[in-house]
């Protein structure tokens, strides 16, 4: 069946094939993307900067290669955007902080941006985020709140909310974000798209403004599992595909990961597990301690990093970020030592679990996106701030450095939510192949909003 949608609404793989075969020029595609961004971003506020001159110049370079019979790469002509903590040559890297608007301009692109350019992708925009990536809401004092494309009265999640919303709204085919405690997986879930948090340390971090270096990773958002795999290949400069084994051992995390889950999420994961078949329930007993330790490590490292600026100009920080950073900087060193010890214990427990299973399934978030005017998550019967509490199920996983595919699994009242497919360290390709198989079977994936 021929796909009648505009090319910009199709997969990155399809877009690149059309550009390479001269069915569509990269310049025309980028011009269409820029026009759409100016029209469609107003109600959601995902973009902090449109890079018009650069994008059109990169498009012309791709078209020139095609005309010369040179393959521009696997992402030829595909427009994309980056969270505003990736260095973009000629512009300040704000990391979501208003007082960094006039920071020194980057002299080089981040390594990830360089690799995507080498693969033919075209950088079109920088995207909104929580200040210094400290939050799960993308409520930003300087650039405003990014709203959920499925309902502008609800949050998009964060801290990579602009990156997720731009894909969900159909503005960009893919984007890059970062994930420290869930900042790719949470907005992917709340916006109904796909996201990847890789095995810790496996995707290039050069030129990315750090938050908590012991936990930070970058990752893509996309419209499909296959596109995630294509983008990951470009970022790693590896393009071989890995097929799933015939029979995978699948576990479903219960205990901590079954508490505070709303009925629609619980039911959707029930359906998924039943369709997969042979899924065994299993518990990570250290998940609660791991989340607490992740909070401490995040606060301490983040606080220490920003302490000089906090002393110099505290009133220029977003108050919600400032107070959490100051609290983190005040933790005694012993707290960090204890958090590191908990991390090692938890990693040992996780490793034992992966002796028995290839992939684990868990919810990404407890429910649908909170409302903008009531940004809370119910935890143990108490309404807690969404900005700090949406990471209930993501923080323990990234604390162990595991790869995760965040996939759309269902919706309630028109709002999407997702599931985490979790693998052992280094199993990213296996996870993506498994996710793509479930997507082909119709068990995962939701549509992108019409532009």
């Amino acid at each position: 069946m021929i796909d009648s949608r505009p090319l910009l609404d199709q997969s990155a793989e399809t877009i690149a094939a059309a550009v390479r075969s001269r069915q569509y020029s990269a310049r025309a595609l980028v011009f269409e993307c820029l026009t759409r961004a100016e029209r469609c971003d107003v109600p959601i506020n995902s973009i902090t900067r449109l890079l018009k001159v650069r994008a059109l110049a990169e498009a012309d370079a791709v078209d020139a290669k095609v005309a010369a019979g040179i393959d521009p790469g696997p992402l030829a002509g595909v427009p994309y955007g980056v969270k505003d903590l990736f260095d973009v040559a000629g512009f300040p890297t704000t990391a979501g902080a208003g007082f960094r608007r006039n920071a020194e301009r980057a002299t080089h692109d981040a390594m990830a941006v360089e690799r995507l350019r080498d693969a033919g992708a075209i950088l079109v925009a920088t995207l909104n985020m929580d200040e210094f990536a400290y939050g799960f809401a993308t409520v930003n004092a300087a650039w405003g709140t990014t709203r959920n494309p499925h309902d502008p009265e609800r949050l998009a999640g964060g801290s990579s909310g602009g990156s997720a919303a731009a894909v969900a709204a159909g503005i960009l085919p893919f984007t890059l974000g970062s994930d420290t405690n869930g900042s790719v997986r949470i907005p992917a879930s709340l916006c109904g798209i796909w996201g990847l948090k890789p095995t810790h340390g496996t995707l290039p971090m050069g030129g990315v403004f750090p938050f908590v270096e012991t936990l930070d990773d970058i990752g893509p958002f996309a419209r499909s599992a296959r596109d995630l795999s294509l983008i990951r290949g470009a970022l790693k400069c590896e393009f071989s595909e890995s097929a799933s084994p015939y029979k995978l051992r699948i576990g479903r995390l219960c205990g901590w990961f079954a508490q505070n889950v709303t009925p629609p999420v619980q039911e959707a994961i029930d359906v998924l597990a039943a369709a997969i078949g042979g899924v065994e329930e299993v518990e990570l007993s250290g998940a609660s301690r791991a989340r607490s330790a992740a909070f401490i490590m995040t606060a301490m490292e983040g606080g220490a990093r920003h302490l000089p600026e906090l002393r110099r100009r505290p009133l220029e920080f977003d108050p919600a970020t400032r107070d959490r950073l100051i609290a983190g900087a005040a933790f005694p060193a012993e707290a960090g030592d204890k958090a590191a010890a908990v991390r090692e214990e938890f990693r040992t427990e996780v490793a034992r679990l992966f002796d028995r299973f290839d992939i684990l399934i868990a919810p990404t978030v407890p429910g649908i996106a909170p409302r903008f005017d009531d940004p809370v998550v119910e935890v143990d019967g108490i309404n807690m701030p969404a900005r700090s509490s949406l990471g209930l199920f993501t923080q323990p996983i990234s604390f162990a450095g595991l790869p995760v595919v965040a996939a759309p699994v269902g919706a309630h009242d028109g709002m999407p939510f997702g599931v985490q497919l979790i693998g052992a360290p280094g199993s990213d390709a296996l996870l993506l192949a498994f996710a793509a198989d479930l997507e082909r079977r119709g068990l995962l994936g939701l549509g992108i909003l019409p532009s």
Side-chain angles (χ1 to χ4, degrees):
M1 182 177 177
I2 296 175
D3 194 331
S4 60
R5 295 176 300 166
L7 184 61
L8 193 57
D9 292 328
Q10 299 185 45
S11 70
E13 184 177 34
T14 300
I15 292 169
V19 170
R20 282 197 301 270
S21 65
R22 299 196 192 188
Q23 295 177 45
Y24 217 94
S25 74
R27 184 179 182 87
L29 188 68
V30 166
F31 186 81
E32 180 183 339
C33 182
L34 291 166
T35 301
R36 183 180 291 190
E38 290 177 335
R39 184 182 77 245
C40 297
D41 191 53
V42 174
I44 63 171
N45 191 39
S46 68
I47 295 171
T48 57
R49 184 189 295 118
L50 275 178
L51 306 169
K52 297 180 183 180
V53 173
R54 171 179 172 141
L56 290 168
E58 288 190 353
D60 289 343
V62 168
D63 287 335
K65 285 185 177 181
V66 173
I70 301 170
D71 185 352
L75 291 168
V78 183
Y80 77 101
V82 295
K83 186 175 183 176
D84 204 356
L85 47 59
F86 287 77
D87 284 353
V88 177
F91 296 93
T93 306
T94 73
F99 65 78
R100 288 187 56 83
R101 280 191 175 101
N102 298 315
E104 186 176 345
R105 297 184 179 197
T107 57
H108 298 86
D109 289 338
M111 188 181 297
V113 174
E114 291 178 352
R115 290 188 179 180
L116 290 175
R117 183 178 62 246
D118 290 345
I122 297 170
L123 182 60
V124 168
T126 58
L127 304 163
N128 201 13
M129 58 182 287
D130 286 293
E131 184 179 83
F132 293 123
Y134 205 175
F136 295 131
T138 311
V139 175
N140 188 292
W143 279 274
T145 297
T146 294
R147 296 173 180 262
N148 197 303
H150 295 270
D151 181 353
E153 298 305 312
R154 294 183 182 272
L155 297 174
S159 62
S160 308
S163 299
V167 175
I171 295 171
L172 293 166
F174 81 90
T175 58
L176 293 186
S178 67
D179 190 309
T180 303
N181 288 299
S183 289
V184 165
R185 291 162 286 160
I186 289 165
S189 178
L190 298 184
C191 291
I193 60 171
W194 294 79
L196 172 67
K197 193 218 84 73
T199 296
H200 181 63
T202 58
L203 293 185
M205 294 295 297
V208 177
F209 196 99
F211 176 28
V212 182
E213 288 184 270
T214 53
L215 299 173
D216 288 348
D217 285 299
I218 64 167
F221 296 88
R223 294 169 174 166
S224 69
R226 187 170 177 84
D227 275 358
L228 283 184
S229 185
L230 184 66
I231 299 155
R232 174 180 172 270
L235 291 169
K236 288 180 66 65
C237 302
E238 297 174 1
F239 298 101
S240 59
E241 295 189 13
S242 175
S244 297
Y246 178 72
K247 183 65 175 176
L248 291 170
R249 301 167 299 168
I250 311 296
R252 177 179 179 178
L253 290 177
C254 57
W256 174 263
F257 298 91
Q259 300 167 22
N260 298 299
V261 180
T262 58
V265 175
Q266 186 77 31
E267 291 164 11
I269 298 179
D270 287 345
V271 170
L272 175 65
I276 293 171
V279 176
E280 180 182 342
E281 290 194 350
V282 64
E283 189 167 348
L284 266 174
S285 61
S288 177
R289 291 184 73 221
R291 182 175 183 249
S292 297
F295 259 120
I296 291 169
M297 188 175 288
T298 298
M300 290 186 70
E301 289 195 32
R305 178 175 304 285
H306 295 287
L307 191 56
E309 291 290 345
L310 286 166
R311 286 172 170 157
R312 191 164 73 89
R313 46 180 173 188
L315 297 182
E316 294 183 50
F317 281 74
D318 180 335
T321 305
R322 179 192 62 218
D323 295 348
R324 296 173 75 191
L325 290 171
I326 290 172
F331 273 109
E334 296 78 24
D337 294 339
K338 289 180 180 178
V342 169
R343 191 182 195 189
E344 291 309 308
E345 293 172 8
F346 188 60
R347 282 173 165 169
T348 299
E349 182 187 2
V350 166
R352 286 198 297 265
L353 201 54
F354 280 111
D355 287 338
R356 297 170 49 203
F357 298 99
D358 301 301
I359 292 173
L360 301 173
I361 297 173
T364 310
V365 289
I368 63 174
R371 288 185 58 83
F372 175 66
D373 58 3
D374 188 25
V376 297
V377 178
E378 187 175 316
V379 180
D380 298 332
I382 301 171
N383 284 338
M384 302 292 290
R387 186 168 188 151
S388 59
S389 300
L390 278 167
L392 206 61
F393 305 134
T394 56
Q395 282 183 282
I397 303 306
S398 41
F399 197 56
L402 304 176
V404 187
V405 172
V409 73
H412 177 65
D413 288 341
M415 295 301 300
F417 51 80
V419 65
Q420 295 183 90
L421 306 178
I422 306 160
S427 67
D428 306 50
L430 173 69
L431 272 180
L432 287 162
F434 178 65
D437 180 61
L438 296 182
E439 186 181 23
R440 279 192 297 269
R441 294 166 59 187
L443 299 177
L444 294 175
L446 293 173
I448 306 301
L449 288 178
S451 58

